[in-house]
Amino acid sequence: MNMCEAMDRLFQRLRNEGEVLGLEKGETIGIEKGKSDTLKEQLKVKLGTLSRPLENQLTNTSLEKLNELTLNIFNVTNEEDVLKIIN
């Protein structure tokens, strides 16, 4: 194998690994967005409305905190309850 072939193979392997990592990151972002959007809709039904600041905060909340909110959604009675869970 010559140097050009070796470099081509290396670059192809790095491209393939980068594509896999990009897909995994995109999948994680999609899951977080889906969970955040679903929780927003559920909270709107439960509370009537959501303030813009709370909606923004939910958009930027970690998946871990969104999961915690999901488990405690029946205990939520107002926006302050939501903030206690996600902060």
Side-chain angles (χ1 to χ4, degrees), residues 7-72:
M7 293 300 286
D8 284 343
R9 287 183 184 182
L10 174 63
F11 290 140
Q12 184 59 46
R13 191 176 89 227
L14 291 173
R15 265 192 302 272
N16 291 343
E17 288 175 6
E19 288 173 7
V20 169
L21 292 174
L23 289 174
E24 289 172 356
K25 183 172 181 160
E27 184 177 281
T28 300
I29 291 169
I31 290 169
E32 288 175 354
K33 181 171 178 6
K35 181 157 283 212
S36 172
D37 289 349
T38 300
L39 281 167
K40 286 179 201 175
E41 292 304 313
Q42 289 175 329
L43 288 167
K44 285 176 186 176
V45 169
K46 184 164 177 93
L47 304 177
T49 60
L50 292 181
S51 68
R52 178 66 59 196
L54 181 58
E55 283 195 43
N56 292 337
Q57 196 162 357
L58 287 168
T59 298
N60 298 311
T61 297
S62 71
L63 185 56
E64 179 184 8
K65 289 295 185 177
L66 293 174
N67 287 335
E68 188 175 338
L69 178 57
T70 300
L71 293 174
N72 290 288

Side-chain angles (χ1 to χ4, degrees), residues 67-83:
N67 287 335
E68 188 175 338
L69 178 57
T70 300
L71 293 174
N72 290 288
I73 197 157
F74 293 115
N75 301 324
V76 169
T77 59
N78 54 48
E79 288 194 6
E80 290 77 29
D81 291 341
V82 175
L83 293 171

